[in-house]
Amino acid sequence: MNTAVKIISACLIVLLMACTKKEGSLQMDVADVRMENVILSYLSAHNETAIKDASGLYYKILEAGDSVHFVKASSIPTVIYSNQLLNGETVGSSFGPTDFDQRELKNHIPGWQIGLQKISKGGKIRLYIPPALAYGSTGIPGIIPANAVLISDVELVNIR
């Protein structure tokens, strides 16, 4: 009898965990759809076009680059960048080439990890990054608000 109780208890726990995941996933899906609508509204209002990546990132390749030297997750990209919010406020800019103290691509925000791999050395890309691929629900206090869509213009200057 103890074995039957243990099995039933384990099944109930698994069932409850599965239900909790479904509810959480549904909430994330609603948030993702809301952010997608925000990005699409921005693009429409500014008469801009962008391609949607499966991750939810929107991007526009401004210059493809040399088509030879591509960045990988373990690469150290040197970039010139500008980040702004949808209201046009600039929240970060390099003012020249930077490698962020030799930071590997895998240690940048997910939006950059995905976007920079779409161009090669010398390429330029505009990224419309939803919060889930940028700074999420916490943002960067005093700089980037919570749940902010980030627009990044990035030029891939060099790769190490």
Side-chain angles (χ1 to χ4, degrees):
M1 181 131 160
N2 279 341
T3 303
V5 171
K6 287 179 185 177
I7 292 172
I8 291 171
S9 296
C11 289
L12 285 174
I13 290 171
V14 170
L15 182 60
L16 288 173
M17 287 173 62
C19 290
T20 303
K21 279 187 179 180
K22 267 190 176 174
E23 287 175 17
S25 296
L26 179 59
Q27 288 173 357
M28 280 301 285
D29 290 342
V30 169
D32 290 344
V33 168
R34 189 177 4 210
M35 282 303 129
E36 182 172 357
N37 287 336
V38 167
I39 293 170
L40 290 172
S41 294
Y42 176 89
L43 292 170
S44 177
H46 291 84
N47 201 28
E48 295 184 30
T49 59
I51 298 168
K52 182 183 178 189
D53 181 81
S55 66
L57 174 75
Y58 279 81
Y59 66 95
K60 181 175 187 174
I61 296 175
L62 306 172
E63 293 179 29
D66 67 8
S67 299
V68 176
H69 302 96
F70 289 90
V71 69
K72 300 174 192 159
S74 61
S75 299
I76 299 171
T78 299
V79 300
I80 298 173
Y81 77 95
S82 174
N83 289 332
Q84 66 181 134
L85 303 175
L86 294 180
N87 66 6
E89 178 186 351
T90 299
V91 292
S93 183
S94 64
F95 301 111
T98 181
D99 66 5
F100 294 94
D101 295 323
Q102 301 183 10
R103 186 183 312 165
E104 294 178 347
L105 181 61
K106 66 184 175 188
N107 295 320
H108 285 277
I109 61 172
W112 276 31
Q113 292 175 37
I114 297 161
L116 287 177
Q117 292 187 64
K118 296 183 179 302
I119 58 174
S120 55
K121 183 178 175 181
K124 295 180 182 180
I125 192 166
R126 177 167 293 147
L127 306 170
Y128 302 89
I129 310 172
L133 300 175
Y135 296 99
S137 61
T138 56
I140 298 176
I143 301 171
I144 299 174
N147 299 310
V149 173
L150 193 63
I151 302 172
S152 289
D153 285 325
V154 188
E155 177 182 352
L156 184 55
V157 176
N158 198 11
I159 303 162
R160 286 186 276 138

Short mmCIF file of all heavy atoms in Angstrom, two decimals, residues 20-67:
data_model
loop_
_atom_site.label_atom_id
_atom_site.label_comp_id
_atom_site.label_asym_id
_atom_site.label_seq_id
_atom_site.Cartn_x
_atom_site.Cartn_y
_atom_site.Cartn_z
N THR A 20 1.37 23.93 -14.00
CA THR A 20 2.02 25.19 -13.68
C THR A 20 2.84 25.68 -14.86
O THR A 20 2.81 26.84 -15.21
CB THR A 20 2.94 25.01 -12.44
OG1 THR A 20 2.15 24.53 -11.36
CG2 THR A 20 3.60 26.31 -12.06
N LYS A 21 3.57 24.79 -15.52
CA LYS A 21 4.36 25.18 -16.68
C LYS A 21 3.47 25.72 -17.78
O LYS A 21 3.79 26.72 -18.41
CB LYS A 21 5.17 24.00 -17.21
CG LYS A 21 6.43 23.75 -16.44
CD LYS A 21 7.26 22.70 -17.12
CE LYS A 21 8.54 22.45 -16.37
NZ LYS A 21 9.35 21.43 -17.01
N LYS A 22 2.34 25.07 -18.01
CA LYS A 22 1.43 25.53 -19.06
C LYS A 22 0.95 26.94 -18.79
O LYS A 22 0.95 27.79 -19.66
CB LYS A 22 0.22 24.60 -19.19
CG LYS A 22 0.39 23.52 -20.20
CD LYS A 22 -0.92 22.81 -20.43
CE LYS A 22 -0.76 21.79 -21.52
NZ LYS A 22 -1.93 20.99 -21.71
N GLU A 23 0.57 27.22 -17.54
CA GLU A 23 0.10 28.56 -17.20
C GLU A 23 1.21 29.57 -17.39
O GLU A 23 1.01 30.62 -17.97
CB GLU A 23 -0.42 28.59 -15.76
CG GLU A 23 -1.74 27.89 -15.59
CD GLU A 23 -2.16 27.84 -14.14
OE1 GLU A 23 -1.62 28.61 -13.33
OE2 GLU A 23 -3.03 27.02 -13.82
N GLY A 24 2.43 29.27 -16.95
CA GLY A 24 3.56 30.17 -17.12
C GLY A 24 3.88 30.38 -18.58
O GLY A 24 4.17 31.49 -19.02
N SER A 25 3.83 29.33 -19.38
CA SER A 25 4.10 29.44 -20.81
C SER A 25 3.07 30.32 -21.49
O SER A 25 3.39 31.11 -22.35
CB SER A 25 4.11 28.06 -21.47
OG SER A 25 5.16 27.28 -20.95
N LEU A 26 1.81 30.18 -21.08
CA LEU A 26 0.75 30.99 -21.66
C LEU A 26 1.00 32.46 -21.36
O LEU A 26 0.88 33.31 -22.23
CB LEU A 26 -0.62 30.55 -21.13
CG LEU A 26 -1.82 31.32 -21.64
CD1 LEU A 26 -1.91 31.22 -23.17
CD2 LEU A 26 -3.09 30.81 -21.01
N GLN A 27 1.41 32.77 -20.14
CA GLN A 27 1.69 34.15 -19.78
C GLN A 27 2.85 34.69 -20.60
O GLN A 27 2.82 35.82 -21.05
CB GLN A 27 1.99 34.27 -18.29
CG GLN A 27 0.74 34.08 -17.43
CD GLN A 27 1.08 34.04 -15.96
OE1 GLN A 27 2.23 34.09 -15.56
NE2 GLN A 27 0.05 33.92 -15.15
N MET A 28 3.89 33.91 -20.80
CA MET A 28 5.02 34.35 -21.61
C MET A 28 4.57 34.57 -23.05
O MET A 28 4.98 35.53 -23.68
CB MET A 28 6.16 33.33 -21.56
CG MET A 28 6.99 33.43 -20.31
SD MET A 28 7.73 35.06 -20.10
CE MET A 28 9.03 34.95 -21.30
N ASP A 29 3.71 33.69 -23.57
CA ASP A 29 3.24 33.84 -24.93
C ASP A 29 2.46 35.14 -25.09
O ASP A 29 2.62 35.85 -26.07
CB ASP A 29 2.36 32.66 -25.34
CG ASP A 29 3.17 31.38 -25.51
OD1 ASP A 29 4.40 31.47 -25.65
OD2 ASP A 29 2.57 30.29 -25.50
N VAL A 30 1.65 35.51 -24.12
CA VAL A 30 0.89 36.75 -24.18
C VAL A 30 1.84 37.94 -24.16
O VAL A 30 1.70 38.88 -24.93
CB VAL A 30 -0.13 36.83 -23.01
CG1 VAL A 30 -0.74 38.21 -22.91
CG2 VAL A 30 -1.22 35.77 -23.19
N ALA A 31 2.85 37.90 -23.30
CA ALA A 31 3.85 38.98 -23.23
C ALA A 31 4.62 39.07 -24.54
O ALA A 31 4.88 40.17 -25.03
CB ALA A 31 4.79 38.75 -22.06
N ASP A 32 4.98 37.93 -25.11
CA ASP A 32 5.72 37.92 -26.38
C ASP A 32 4.88 38.52 -27.49
O ASP A 32 5.37 39.31 -28.30
CB ASP A 32 6.13 36.49 -26.76
CG ASP A 32 7.21 35.94 -25.84
OD1 ASP A 32 7.86 36.72 -25.12
OD2 ASP A 32 7.40 34.71 -25.85
N VAL A 33 3.60 38.17 -27.54
CA VAL A 33 2.70 38.72 -28.56
C VAL A 33 2.55 40.22 -28.37
O VAL A 33 2.59 40.99 -29.34
CB VAL A 33 1.32 38.01 -28.51
CG1 VAL A 33 0.29 38.76 -29.34
CG2 VAL A 33 1.45 36.57 -28.97
N ARG A 34 2.43 40.66 -27.13
CA ARG A 34 2.31 42.09 -26.84
C ARG A 34 3.56 42.84 -27.32
O ARG A 34 3.46 43.88 -27.97
CB ARG A 34 2.09 42.30 -25.36
CG ARG A 34 1.75 43.71 -24.97
CD ARG A 34 1.49 43.85 -23.50
NE ARG A 34 1.73 42.57 -22.82
CZ ARG A 34 1.12 42.16 -21.74
NH1 ARG A 34 0.24 42.88 -21.17
NH2 ARG A 34 1.40 41.00 -21.19
N MET A 35 4.74 42.31 -27.04
CA MET A 35 5.98 42.95 -27.47
C MET A 35 6.13 42.92 -28.99
O MET A 35 6.60 43.87 -29.59
CB MET A 35 7.20 42.29 -26.83
CG MET A 35 7.41 42.70 -25.41
SD MET A 35 7.58 44.49 -25.25
CE MET A 35 6.40 44.81 -23.99
N GLU A 36 5.70 41.83 -29.60
CA GLU A 36 5.73 41.75 -31.05
C GLU A 36 4.83 42.84 -31.65
O GLU A 36 5.22 43.51 -32.60
CB GLU A 36 5.28 40.37 -31.54
CG GLU A 36 5.33 40.25 -33.05
CD GLU A 36 5.07 38.84 -33.55
OE1 GLU A 36 4.90 37.92 -32.74
OE2 GLU A 36 5.05 38.69 -34.78
N ASN A 37 3.66 43.03 -31.08
CA ASN A 37 2.76 44.09 -31.55
C ASN A 37 3.36 45.48 -31.36
O ASN A 37 3.20 46.35 -32.21
CB ASN A 37 1.40 44.00 -30.85
CG ASN A 37 0.59 42.81 -31.34
OD1 ASN A 37 0.79 42.33 -32.45
ND2 ASN A 37 -0.32 42.34 -30.51
N VAL A 38 4.08 45.68 -30.27
CA VAL A 38 4.75 46.96 -30.02
C VAL A 38 5.80 47.21 -31.11
O VAL A 38 5.87 48.29 -31.68
CB VAL A 38 5.39 46.99 -28.61
CG1 VAL A 38 6.35 48.16 -28.45
CG2 VAL A 38 4.31 47.03 -27.54
N ILE A 39 6.60 46.19 -31.41
CA ILE A 39 7.64 46.32 -32.44
C ILE A 39 7.01 46.55 -33.81
O ILE A 39 7.42 47.43 -34.56
CB ILE A 39 8.58 45.09 -32.44
CG1 ILE A 39 9.39 45.06 -31.14
CG2 ILE A 39 9.50 45.12 -33.66
CD1 ILE A 39 10.17 43.78 -30.91
N LEU A 40 5.98 45.77 -34.14
CA LEU A 40 5.32 45.93 -35.44
C LEU A 40 4.68 47.32 -35.57
O LEU A 40 4.74 47.93 -36.64
CB LEU A 40 4.28 44.83 -35.65
CG LEU A 40 4.84 43.43 -35.88
CD1 LEU A 40 3.72 42.40 -35.87
CD2 LEU A 40 5.66 43.37 -37.16
N SER A 41 4.09 47.83 -34.50
CA SER A 41 3.51 49.17 -34.52
C SER A 41 4.59 50.22 -34.76
O SER A 41 4.40 51.16 -35.53
CB SER A 41 2.78 49.47 -33.21
OG SER A 41 1.67 48.65 -33.08
N TYR A 42 5.72 50.05 -34.10
CA TYR A 42 6.84 50.98 -34.29
C TYR A 42 7.31 50.96 -35.74
O TYR A 42 7.49 52.02 -36.35
CB TYR A 42 8.00 50.63 -33.35
CG TYR A 42 9.20 51.51 -33.58
CD1 TYR A 42 9.34 52.72 -32.89
CD2 TYR A 42 10.19 51.15 -34.49
CE1 TYR A 42 10.43 53.54 -33.12
CE2 TYR A 42 11.29 51.97 -34.73
CZ TYR A 42 11.40 53.16 -34.04
OH TYR A 42 12.48 53.98 -34.28
N LEU A 43 7.51 49.76 -36.28
CA LEU A 43 7.97 49.64 -37.67
C LEU A 43 6.99 50.30 -38.62
O LEU A 43 7.39 51.05 -39.53
CB LEU A 43 8.17 48.17 -38.03
CG LEU A 43 9.32 47.45 -37.32
CD1 LEU A 43 9.26 45.95 -37.60
CD2 LEU A 43 10.66 48.02 -37.75
N SER A 44 5.71 50.06 -38.41
CA SER A 44 4.69 50.63 -39.28
C SER A 44 4.67 52.16 -39.18
O SER A 44 4.64 52.86 -40.18
CB SER A 44 3.32 50.06 -38.90
OG SER A 44 2.31 50.65 -39.67
N ALA A 45 4.71 52.68 -37.96
CA ALA A 45 4.66 54.12 -37.74
C ALA A 45 5.88 54.84 -38.32
O ALA A 45 5.80 56.00 -38.70
CB ALA A 45 4.56 54.42 -36.25
N HIS A 46 7.01 54.13 -38.42
CA HIS A 46 8.24 54.73 -38.94
C HIS A 46 8.54 54.28 -40.37
O HIS A 46 9.64 54.51 -40.87
CB HIS A 46 9.40 54.43 -38.00
CG HIS A 46 9.28 55.14 -36.69
ND1 HIS A 46 8.52 54.64 -35.65
CD2 HIS A 46 9.77 56.32 -36.28
CE1 HIS A 46 8.58 55.49 -34.65
NE2 HIS A 46 9.32 56.52 -34.99
N ASN A 47 7.56 53.62 -40.99
CA ASN A 47 7.69 53.15 -42.37
C ASN A 47 8.98 52.34 -42.57
O ASN A 47 9.71 52.54 -43.54
CB ASN A 47 7.62 54.33 -43.35
CG ASN A 47 7.25 53.87 -44.74
OD1 ASN A 47 6.59 52.85 -44.92
ND2 ASN A 47 7.69 54.63 -45.74
N GLU A 48 9.26 51.46 -41.63
CA GLU A 48 10.44 50.62 -41.69
C GLU A 48 10.03 49.16 -41.86
O GLU A 48 8.90 48.78 -41.53
CB GLU A 48 11.28 50.77 -40.41
CG GLU A 48 11.85 52.16 -40.22
CD GLU A 48 12.75 52.27 -39.01
OE1 GLU A 48 13.38 51.26 -38.63
OE2 GLU A 48 12.80 53.36 -38.43
N THR A 49 10.94 48.37 -42.40
CA THR A 49 10.70 46.94 -42.55
C THR A 49 11.79 46.18 -41.80
O THR A 49 12.91 46.69 -41.64
CB THR A 49 10.71 46.51 -44.03
OG1 THR A 49 11.97 46.85 -44.60
CG2 THR A 49 9.58 47.18 -44.79
N ALA A 50 11.47 45.00 -41.37
CA ALA A 50 12.43 44.15 -40.68
C ALA A 50 12.00 42.70 -40.83
O ALA A 50 10.83 42.41 -41.08
CB ALA A 50 12.53 44.52 -39.21
N ILE A 51 12.96 41.82 -40.68
CA ILE A 51 12.71 40.38 -40.76
C ILE A 51 12.59 39.85 -39.33
O ILE A 51 13.35 40.26 -38.45
CB ILE A 51 13.87 39.68 -41.49
CG1 ILE A 51 13.99 40.20 -42.92
CG2 ILE A 51 13.70 38.15 -41.46
CD1 ILE A 51 15.27 39.79 -43.62
N LYS A 52 11.67 38.94 -39.12
CA LYS A 52 11.51 38.34 -37.79
C LYS A 52 12.27 37.03 -37.73
O LYS A 52 12.08 36.12 -38.53
CB LYS A 52 10.03 38.08 -37.48
CG LYS A 52 9.83 37.50 -36.09
CD LYS A 52 8.39 37.17 -35.81
CE LYS A 52 8.26 36.55 -34.43
NZ LYS A 52 6.92 36.02 -34.21
N ASP A 53 13.14 36.92 -36.75
CA ASP A 53 13.85 35.68 -36.45
C ASP A 53 12.94 34.80 -35.59
O ASP A 53 12.05 35.32 -34.90
CB ASP A 53 15.14 36.03 -35.69
CG ASP A 53 15.97 34.80 -35.35
OD1 ASP A 53 16.70 34.34 -36.23
OD2 ASP A 53 15.89 34.32 -34.19
N ALA A 54 13.16 33.50 -35.60
CA ALA A 54 12.35 32.57 -34.81
C ALA A 54 12.40 32.90 -33.31
O ALA A 54 11.48 32.57 -32.58
CB ALA A 54 12.82 31.14 -35.04
N SER A 55 13.45 33.57 -32.87
CA SER A 55 13.60 33.93 -31.45
C SER A 55 12.68 35.06 -31.03
O SER A 55 12.50 35.30 -29.85
CB SER A 55 15.05 34.36 -31.20
OG SER A 55 15.31 35.56 -31.91
N GLY A 56 12.14 35.80 -32.01
CA GLY A 56 11.33 36.98 -31.71
C GLY A 56 12.08 38.27 -32.00
O GLY A 56 11.51 39.35 -31.92
N LEU A 57 13.34 38.16 -32.33
CA LEU A 57 14.16 39.31 -32.71
C LEU A 57 13.76 39.78 -34.10
O LEU A 57 13.58 38.96 -35.00
CB LEU A 57 15.64 38.91 -32.72
CG LEU A 57 16.64 39.94 -33.23
CD1 LEU A 57 16.84 41.04 -32.20
CD2 LEU A 57 17.96 39.27 -33.56
N TYR A 58 13.62 41.09 -34.26
CA TYR A 58 13.42 41.66 -35.59
C TYR A 58 14.73 42.32 -36.00
O TYR A 58 15.42 42.92 -35.15
CB TYR A 58 12.29 42.70 -35.57
CG TYR A 58 10.93 42.08 -35.64
CD1 TYR A 58 10.32 41.57 -34.50
CD2 TYR A 58 10.24 42.01 -36.85
CE1 TYR A 58 9.05 40.99 -34.56
CE2 TYR A 58 8.97 41.43 -36.92
CZ TYR A 58 8.39 40.94 -35.77
OH TYR A 58 7.14 40.37 -35.84
N TYR A 59 15.09 42.21 -37.28
CA TYR A 59 16.35 42.78 -37.72
C TYR A 59 16.28 43.23 -39.17
O TYR A 59 15.44 42.78 -39.94
CB TYR A 59 17.49 41.76 -37.55
CG TYR A 59 17.37 40.55 -38.45
CD1 TYR A 59 18.02 40.51 -39.68
CD2 TYR A 59 16.61 39.46 -38.08
CE1 TYR A 59 17.90 39.41 -40.51
CE2 TYR A 59 16.48 38.35 -38.90
CZ TYR A 59 17.14 38.33 -40.13
OH TYR A 59 17.01 37.24 -40.95
N LYS A 60 17.18 44.14 -39.50
CA LYS A 60 17.33 44.60 -40.87
C LYS A 60 18.82 44.70 -41.14
O LYS A 60 19.54 45.43 -40.45
CB LYS A 60 16.67 45.98 -41.05
CG LYS A 60 16.78 46.49 -42.48
CD LYS A 60 16.01 47.78 -42.65
CE LYS A 60 16.01 48.17 -44.12
NZ LYS A 60 15.15 49.34 -44.36
N ILE A 61 19.28 43.93 -42.11
CA ILE A 61 20.68 43.97 -42.48
C ILE A 61 20.89 45.21 -43.36
O ILE A 61 20.29 45.33 -44.43
CB ILE A 61 21.12 42.68 -43.20
CG1 ILE A 61 20.99 41.50 -42.24
CG2 ILE A 61 22.55 42.82 -43.75
CD1 ILE A 61 21.26 40.14 -42.84
N LEU A 62 21.73 46.12 -42.88
CA LEU A 62 22.01 47.35 -43.60
C LEU A 62 23.17 47.16 -44.58
O LEU A 62 23.17 47.71 -45.67
CB LEU A 62 22.30 48.49 -42.61
CG LEU A 62 21.21 48.72 -41.55
CD1 LEU A 62 21.67 49.73 -40.50
CD2 LEU A 62 19.91 49.16 -42.22
N GLU A 63 24.15 46.38 -44.16
CA GLU A 63 25.27 45.96 -45.01
C GLU A 63 25.65 44.55 -44.56
O GLU A 63 25.85 44.32 -43.37
CB GLU A 63 26.47 46.89 -44.87
CG GLU A 63 26.23 48.28 -45.41
CD GLU A 63 27.45 49.19 -45.24
OE1 GLU A 63 28.60 48.69 -45.24
OE2 GLU A 63 27.24 50.40 -45.10
N ALA A 64 25.77 43.63 -45.49
CA ALA A 64 26.02 42.23 -45.14
C ALA A 64 27.43 41.98 -44.62
O ALA A 64 27.66 41.08 -43.83
CB ALA A 64 25.75 41.33 -46.35
N GLY A 65 28.41 42.74 -45.07
CA GLY A 65 29.79 42.51 -44.67
C GLY A 65 30.55 41.77 -45.75
O GLY A 65 30.09 41.67 -46.89
N ASP A 66 31.72 41.26 -45.39
CA ASP A 66 32.61 40.65 -46.39
C ASP A 66 32.21 39.23 -46.80
O ASP A 66 32.83 38.64 -47.68
CB ASP A 66 34.06 40.68 -45.91
CG ASP A 66 34.33 39.79 -44.70
OD1 ASP A 66 33.44 39.01 -44.29
OD2 ASP A 66 35.45 39.87 -44.15
N SER A 67 31.23 38.65 -46.16
CA SER A 67 30.73 37.29 -46.45
C SER A 67 31.79 36.21 -46.26
O SER A 67 31.65 35.11 -46.77
CB SER A 67 30.16 37.22 -47.87
OG SER A 67 29.08 38.11 -48.01
#
